[in-house]
């Protein structure tokens, strides 16, 4: 996948950012294969571990023994595939070859041992009742399983080091080429170097995308997505800004514009390395930790802990914690954009919270010396009062920030200032430029401050990070638009200067659109909808592969394709009804299995609505995001079912584990399909995804039914 010179090269880089697609080179392929085999192998190892945790002299039927043999053989086959991948990684990385090969040999030996010890042809010791014991060498199986887990872990850790090294090497190549681009003086030389830069950015995009998909920490995933989005958008900006500089070498504003792009890309590249190596430069603190909502949540947990332990913490610490929270509300009360009514209400609730904390402390001191029922009731009342005040404060802060954001987005929806700047530039009107540049600066400050307020009330760490990303983007892009407009005004007939201004303006418009999505998500979290159905919409979106950076438009399949998708969707809709019927049988609706099943059914229903052209999913990209979450939810369900299986008798446990083993591969297959790039074959990808989802839903219905029956059976037994 090589990028061609000029704009096409940029398109190539932009196309892969956000996708996390793979397969461009051997090393990336190895990472994908390793992850795939790991996902297949570890659940099977978990089953072997479960099987050996049986009581001594436990009798097994012939059917059970055959199932055990199948599991042992499956583990050995998975180990064989895993070892091949490990050996390939070793051959590509001589510095780690010996360590990886030793771990692979251990894994292979362990897999073969497990297969041999679970082979029923070797178990010829019949008991008086015609049954035989599960293993003749239980200790050997335990030892082999432990060796297998240990050796697999070693290989995966070493492979992880390889991946990190690849990303760092790729980043260094990009930086070196960027330094050459900064110093280039001729257009011909620029085209040659930019072609190389495009290839290197494609490689870095794949490597960092694969890493983003592997991250388990949602906070890190959001940071990685933000950094990669900056790199994607800046690649196009770098092209037009550099071309403008080459065309107008003596223009100070053009150089300023270009330098801004280079600086931001370097920061984003460093951020990716910081995430993959898990280190922060110079003891940097986490800015998202200053959120007011996070502070209130922790404070409430501390005061509620007093119900169980009156000596949980000191009164001074509690008072300091509240003061820190209320001090942060000054971001709202000091803002010029906060209305008088909101400001007064926030101050009133802050004063009320201080008074109620003093009352709580007074009762708390009494409760430590008098252990009476009346004091305990008074303490409970004080805790409830301050919790209520803080909840009211949260509502007021949320209302203030979201109302301001909604008004601001509505007011600037038509982008009047951007249009005026473009017209001013073409006319070469320097006086008008100063006027509209001032207006854009005011708009930028409003948006930056609004993002800061939204961060305080966002409710989740990924959303906080998205707010920070939006804040930084408005801050930087606003200045770059002004410098690009100045260049065009000084050179009104320059086509490249006009194109450059267009690119920066469209990046601004794109961020405004993303802010609208962010606002919707923050409202969903606050109102308890928590939008599992929206997947990762909180993360910055990948852009279309074109020079205009337009947002994604709804896909429109032809009538035949639409009919096929609708037919698939109808069957999916029926399966969600079946799943809901199974869920309704459960008395404990808070059971984890029920919750994950309900989530999967709800998401599958939104996919069904998508096939009808309805519901919250508007584009194929929305669908893919939803499916990624659906697959992840399926894996969470399997973990809960595995935990439940530990309560069952051996035969019931094995029956349930074999059902789980059907669902796990489907989850991983769906994840693979969503990450597979099928250019110009969107319908084919949607078709595959919905087919996989239907299979998963059919298994979900069976699993819910089986779990319910086994639960009732175990309750009857006890």
């Amino acid at each position: 996948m090589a990028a061609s010179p000029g704009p096409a090269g940029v398109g190539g880089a932009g196309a892969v950012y956000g996708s996390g697609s793979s397969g461009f080179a051997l090393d990336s392929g190895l990472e994908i294969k390793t992850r795939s085999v790991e996902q297949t192998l570890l659940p099977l190892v978990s089953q072997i571990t479960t099987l050996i945790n049986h009581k001594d002299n436990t009798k097994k039927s012939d059917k059970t023994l055959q199932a055990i043999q199948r599991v042992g053989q499956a583990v050995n086959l998975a180990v064989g595939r895993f070892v091949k991948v490990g050996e390939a990684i070793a051959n590509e990385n001589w510095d780690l070859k010996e360590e990886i090969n030793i771990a692979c040999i251990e894994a292979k030996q362990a897999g073969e041992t497990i297969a041999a010890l679970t082979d029923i042809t070797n178990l010829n010791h019949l008991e008086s009742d015609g049954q035989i014991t599960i293993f003749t060498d239980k200790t050997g199986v335990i030892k082999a399983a432990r060796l297998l887990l240990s050796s697999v872990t070693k290989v995966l850790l070493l492979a992880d080091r390889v991946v990190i090294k690849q990303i760092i090497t790729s980043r260094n190549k990009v930086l070196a080429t960027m330094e050459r681009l900064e110093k280039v003086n001729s257009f011909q030389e620029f085209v040659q170097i930019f072609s190389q830069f495009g290839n290197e950015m494609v490689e870095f995009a794949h490597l960092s995308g694969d890493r983003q998909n592997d991250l388990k920490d949602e906070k890190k995933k959001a940071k990685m997505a933000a950094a990669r989005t900056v790199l994607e958008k800046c690649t196009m900006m770098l092209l037009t800004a550099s071309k403008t500089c080459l065309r107008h070498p003596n223009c100070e504003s053009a150089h300023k514009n270009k330098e801004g792009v280079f600086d931001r890309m370097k920061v984003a590249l460093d951020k990716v390395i910081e995430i993959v190596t898990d280190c922060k430069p110079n003891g940097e603190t986490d800015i998202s930790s200053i959120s007011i909502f996070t502070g209130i949540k922790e404070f409430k947990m501390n005061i509620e802990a007093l119900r169980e332990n009156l000596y949980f913490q000191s009164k001074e610490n509690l008072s300091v914690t509240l003061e820190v929270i209320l001090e942060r509300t000054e971001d709202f009360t000091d803002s010029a954009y906060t209305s008088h009514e909101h400001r007064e209400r926030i101050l009133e609730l802050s004063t009320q919270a201080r008074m109620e904390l003093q009352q709580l402390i007074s009762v708390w001191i009494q409760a430590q010396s008098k252990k009476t029922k009346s004091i305990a009731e008074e303490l409970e009342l004080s805790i409830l009062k301050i919790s209520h005040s803080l909840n009211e404060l949260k509502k007021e802060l949320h209302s203030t920030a979201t109302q301001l954001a909604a008004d601001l987005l509505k007011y600037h929806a038509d982008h009047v200032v951007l249009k005026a700047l473009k017209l001013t530039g073409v006319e070469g009107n320097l006086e008008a430029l100063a006027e509209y540049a001032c207006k854009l600066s005011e708009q930028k400050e409003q948006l930056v401050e609004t993002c800061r307020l939204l961060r305080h009330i966002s409710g989740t760490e990924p959303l906080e990070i998205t707010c920070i990303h939006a804040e930084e983007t408005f801050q930087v892009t606003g200045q770059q638009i002004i410098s690009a407009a100045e260049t065009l005004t000084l050179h009104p007939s320059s086509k490249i200067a006009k194109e450059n201004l267009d690119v920066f303006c469209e990046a601004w418009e794109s961020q405004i659109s993303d802010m609208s999505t962010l606002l919707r998500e923050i409202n969903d979290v606050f109102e308890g909808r928590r939008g599992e159905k929206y997947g990762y919409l909180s993360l910055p979106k990948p852009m279309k592969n074109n020079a205009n950076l337009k947002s994604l438009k709804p896909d429109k399949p032809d009538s035949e394709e639409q009919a096929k998708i609708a037919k698939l969707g109808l069957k999916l809709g029926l399966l969600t009804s079946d799943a809901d019927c199974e869920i309704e049988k459960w008395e404990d609706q808070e059971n984890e299995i029920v919750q994950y099943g309900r989530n999967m059914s709800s998401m599958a229903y939104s996919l069904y609505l998508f096939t009808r052209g309805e519901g919250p999913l508007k584009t194929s990209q929305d669908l893919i995001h939803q499916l990624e979450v659906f697959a992840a939810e399926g894996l969470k369900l399997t973990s809960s079912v595995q935990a439940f299986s530990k309560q069952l008798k051996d035969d019931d446990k094995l029956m349930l584990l074999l059902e789980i083993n059907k669902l796990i591969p489907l989850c991983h297959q769906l994840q693979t399909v969503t990450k597979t790039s099928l250019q110009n074959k969107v319908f084919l990808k949607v078709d595959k995804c919905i087919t996989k989802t239907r299979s998963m839903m059919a298994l979900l219905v069976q699993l819910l039914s089986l779990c319910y029956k086994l639960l009732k059976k175990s309750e009857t037994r006890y």
Side-chain angles (χ1 to χ4, degrees):
M1 182 189 281
S4 55
V10 181
V16 294
Y17 269 101
S19 66
S21 54
S22 59
F24 71 96
L26 176 63
D27 286 340
S28 180
L30 288 175
E31 183 194 1
I32 299 301
K33 290 174 187 173
T34 305
R35 186 166 61 248
S36 176
V37 176
E38 172 198 359
Q39 291 166 345
T40 305
L41 177 64
L42 293 184
L44 291 171
V45 174
S46 175
Q47 288 186 31
I48 284 289
T49 305
T50 302
L51 290 171
I52 61 179
N53 287 334
H54 70 291
K55 295 177 181 178
D56 290 335
N57 301 319
T58 301
K59 302 295 189 295
K60 296 295 174 187
S61 66
D62 186 59
K63 183 178 178 182
T64 299
L65 286 166
Q66 288 175 357
I68 291 168
Q69 179 172 306
R70 287 198 300 272
V71 172
Q73 290 171 344
V75 169
N76 193 30
L77 287 172
V79 170
R81 292 194 297 271
F82 185 88
V83 166
K84 285 182 181 178
V85 174
E87 289 170 347
I89 294 172
N91 290 333
E92 291 291 321
N93 298 273
W94 287 89
D95 53 332
L96 298 174
K97 184 173 182 178
E98 186 177 353
E99 289 181 82
I100 295 175
N101 280 338
I102 290 171
C104 284
I105 290 169
E106 290 177 353
K108 188 175 180 181
Q109 289 173 345
E112 290 171 351
T113 301
I114 288 172
L117 293 175
T118 55
D119 186 351
I120 59 173
T121 59
N122 295 329
L123 304 178
N124 299 317
H125 305 290
L126 284 174
E127 300 293 335
S128 58
D129 59 359
Q131 293 186 324
I132 52 179
T133 55
I134 183 170
F135 303 121
T136 55
D137 184 7
K138 179 179 175 182
T139 304
V141 175
I142 294 171
K143 186 177 179 182
R146 287 174 178 166
L147 177 62
L148 180 56
L149 287 170
S150 172
S151 54
V152 166
T153 302
K154 284 179 191 174
V155 174
L156 293 175
L157 289 172
L158 291 167
D160 195 59
R161 281 167 56 185
V162 171
V163 172
I164 292 172
K165 185 177 74 171
Q166 288 174 351
I167 295 173
I168 293 172
T169 301
S170 180
R171 186 279 305 259
N172 292 341
K173 283 162 61 179
V174 169
L175 279 176
T177 308
M178 282 176 65
E179 286 182 14
R180 292 173 61 200
L181 281 173
E182 282 186 278
K183 298 172 184 175
V184 74
N185 291 316
S186 73
F187 191 78
Q188 185 177 2
E189 185 185 3
F190 171 78
V191 169
Q192 291 173 346
I193 298 174
F194 200 89
S195 174
Q196 178 186 340
F197 174 73
N199 289 333
E200 291 168 353
M201 286 299 289
V202 167
E203 178 181 330
F204 187 76
H206 279 295
L207 288 168
S208 58
D210 289 337
R211 192 65 176 184
Q212 180 182 323
N213 289 330
D214 285 343
L215 290 170
K216 302 294 187 291
D217 187 327
E218 292 298 321
K219 189 173 170 183
K220 287 182 181 178
K221 188 173 282 191
K223 286 183 178 180
M224 179 73 91
R228 295 178 71 246
T229 298
V230 169
L231 292 172
E232 178 208 345
K233 293 184 179 180
C234 283
T235 301
M236 177 55 67
M237 296 174 185
L238 185 65
L239 175 65
T240 57
S242 297
K243 284 165 68 177
T244 304
C245 256
L246 289 168
R247 189 64 54 85
H248 309 290
N250 299 319
C251 182
E252 185 180 342
S253 58
H255 282 282
K256 182 179 178 182
N257 186 248
K258 185 185 83 168
E259 287 165 7
V261 179
F262 274 103
D263 289 344
R264 194 159 192 229
M265 289 190 78
K266 288 173 185 175
V267 170
L269 287 165
D270 287 343
K271 180 62 69 176
V272 171
I273 301 305
E274 176 190 317
I275 294 164
V276 299
T277 57
D278 202 21
C279 64
K280 296 179 182 178
N282 304 320
E284 177 187 318
T285 55
D286 192 343
I287 191 167
S288 66
S289 64
I290 66 171
S291 155
I292 293 175
F293 273 26
T294 300
I296 289 177
K297 181 181 177 182
E298 291 174 358
F299 180 83
K300 286 173 67 178
M301 286 171 61
N302 287 338
I303 61 171
E304 286 166 4
L306 296 176
R307 292 175 175 135
E308 303 297 327
N309 184 357
L310 293 172
Y311 302 92
F312 176 68
Q313 63 180 321
S314 69
K315 292 83 179 169
E316 293 75 17
N317 283 346
L318 212 53
S319 296
V320 168
T321 303
L322 182 63
E323 282 308 314
V324 169
I325 293 168
L326 298 182
E327 186 178 322
R328 291 170 188 166
T329 64
E330 291 174 6
D331 285 349
F332 289 78
T333 54
D334 291 350
S335 172
Y337 310 112
T338 300
S339 69
H340 177 72
E341 292 77 12
H342 281 305
R343 183 178 292 106
E344 288 299 310
R345 181 65 176 152
I346 292 168
L347 291 171
E348 177 188 331
L349 289 168
S350 298
T351 301
Q352 187 175 330
R354 284 191 182 97
M355 290 170 58
E356 285 172 353
L357 177 60
Q358 290 307 311
Q359 177 63 24
L360 172 63
I361 289 173
S362 175
V363 177
W364 181 9
I365 292 170
Q366 293 180 54
Q368 286 178 331
S369 57
K370 300 180 193 174
K371 307 251 184 210
T372 64
K373 185 179 179 182
S374 61
I375 287 293
E377 289 175 351
E378 199 173 340
L379 179 65
E380 178 65 22
L381 183 60
S382 296
I383 290 172
L384 292 174
K385 277 186 176 181
I386 193 167
S387 292
H388 176 73
S389 290
L390 290 173
N391 286 339
E392 289 300 305
L393 179 61
K394 280 179 66 176
K395 287 180 186 177
E396 193 62 32
L397 295 173
H398 179 268
S399 173
T400 302
T402 54
Q403 185 177 319
L404 175 61
D407 291 346
L408 197 56
L409 289 170
K410 185 177 179 181
Y411 183 74
H412 295 299
D414 51 5
H415 303 294
V416 171
V417 176
L418 296 183
K419 291 173 183 174
L421 279 170
K422 290 179 185 179
L423 183 61
T424 296
V426 172
E427 293 174 347
N429 188 336
L430 287 169
E431 186 177 337
L433 169 69
E435 177 188 345
Y436 288 113
C438 184
K439 287 185 177 180
L440 184 67
S441 293
E442 290 175 5
Q443 183 178 336
K444 178 196 72 177
E445 290 305 317
Q446 279 184 305
L447 288 164
V448 165
E449 188 157 332
T450 302
C451 289
R452 195 171 296 132
L453 299 185
L454 287 174
R455 172 163 53 86
H456 275 308
I457 59 99
S458 56
T460 70
E461 287 185 329
L463 287 176
E464 286 180 35
I465 291 161
T466 308
C467 290
I468 294 168
H469 168 73
E471 182 182 334
E472 292 171 350
T473 300
F474 284 126
Q475 189 73 263
V476 175
T477 310
Q479 287 300 121
Q480 290 176 317
I481 289 173
I482 291 171
S483 59
E486 185 179 340
T487 302
L488 178 59
T489 308
L490 293 171
H491 306 278
S493 60
S494 172
K495 290 183 180 179
I496 183 57
K498 183 179 183 301
E499 181 187 348
N500 187 49
L501 178 58
D502 286 342
V503 166
F504 282 96
C505 287
E506 285 166 1
W508 178 276
E509 291 171 15
S510 171
Q511 190 57 54
I512 289 283
S513 176
D514 286 348
M515 188 175 174
S516 179
T517 300
L518 172 62
L519 181 60
R520 185 176 74 244
E521 283 200 300
I522 288 172
N523 280 325
D524 281 352
V525 170
F526 186 78
E527 292 168 16
R529 292 196 294 269
R530 182 73 194 201
E532 291 288 353
K533 59 179 182 273
Y534 296 125
Y536 290 112
L537 288 180
S538 57
L539 305 183
K541 293 282 199 346
M543 303 297 289
K544 288 283 277 185
N545 179 17
N546 60 35
N548 294 323
L549 299 174
K550 302 270 184 181
S551 57
L552 287 165
K553 294 180 180 179
D555 301 304
K556 293 183 178 179
D558 61 38
S559 56
E560 186 178 339
E561 290 175 342
Q562 185 64 55
K564 186 175 180 183
I565 290 175
K567 186 177 179 180
L568 288 170
L570 181 59
K571 293 178 181 178
L572 184 61
L574 294 172
L575 284 167
T576 63
S577 298
D578 292 341
D580 291 341
C581 288
E582 290 297 332
I583 288 167
E584 286 174 9
K585 294 179 183 177
W586 292 65
E587 294 171 5
D588 180 10
Q589 289 292 306
E590 296 303 313
N591 184 290
E592 273 194 355
I593 295 172
V594 172
Q595 290 179 346
Y596 291 134
R598 189 185 298 114
N599 289 345
M600 290 177 71
S601 180
S602 174
M603 285 185 272
Y605 187 73
S606 68
L607 301 179
Y608 158 67
L609 291 177
F610 175 84
T611 65
R612 296 165 54 89
E614 301 169 5
L617 308 178
K618 303 301 181 187
T619 69
S620 59
Q621 191 65 39
D622 290 345
L623 177 73
I624 298 306
H625 282 306
Q626 179 79 102
L627 288 164
E628 288 172 353
V629 182
F630 180 80
E633 206 72 1
L635 291 172
K636 291 177 185 176
L637 172 73
T638 61
S639 295
S640 292
V641 175
Q642 282 174 336
F644 167 64
S645 72
K646 294 176 183 177
Q647 306 169 22
L648 306 174
K649 285 186 174 181
D650 282 359
D651 285 350
D652 290 342
K653 181 189 301 181
L654 187 58
M655 179 168 55
L656 190 55
L657 288 173
L658 289 172
E659 286 300 311
I660 297 170
N661 200 36
K662 295 176 186 176
L663 182 58
I664 292 174
L666 282 175
C667 293
H668 295 312
Q669 287 165 21
L670 182 59
Q671 288 178 327
T672 301
V673 173
T674 59
K675 295 169 188 173
T676 302
S677 176
L678 293 173
Q679 286 186 326
N680 302 320
K681 294 182 180 179
V682 175
F683 165 73
L684 180 60
K685 186 168 184 175
V686 170
D687 178 59
K688 282 186 174 182
C689 286
I690 293 178
T691 301
K692 290 287 181 192
T693 305
R694 275 178 49 200
S695 299
M696 286 175 65
M697 284 301 296
L699 271 173
L700 172 66
V701 173
Q702 292 175 25
L703 259 179
L704 288 169
S705 176
L706 180 57
C707 286
Y708 178 75
K709 289 175 184 175
L710 293 175
L711 177 65
K712 288 297 178 185
K713 182 178 176 182
S714 65
E715 287 174 349
T716 303
R717 188 171 75 245
Y718 292 116

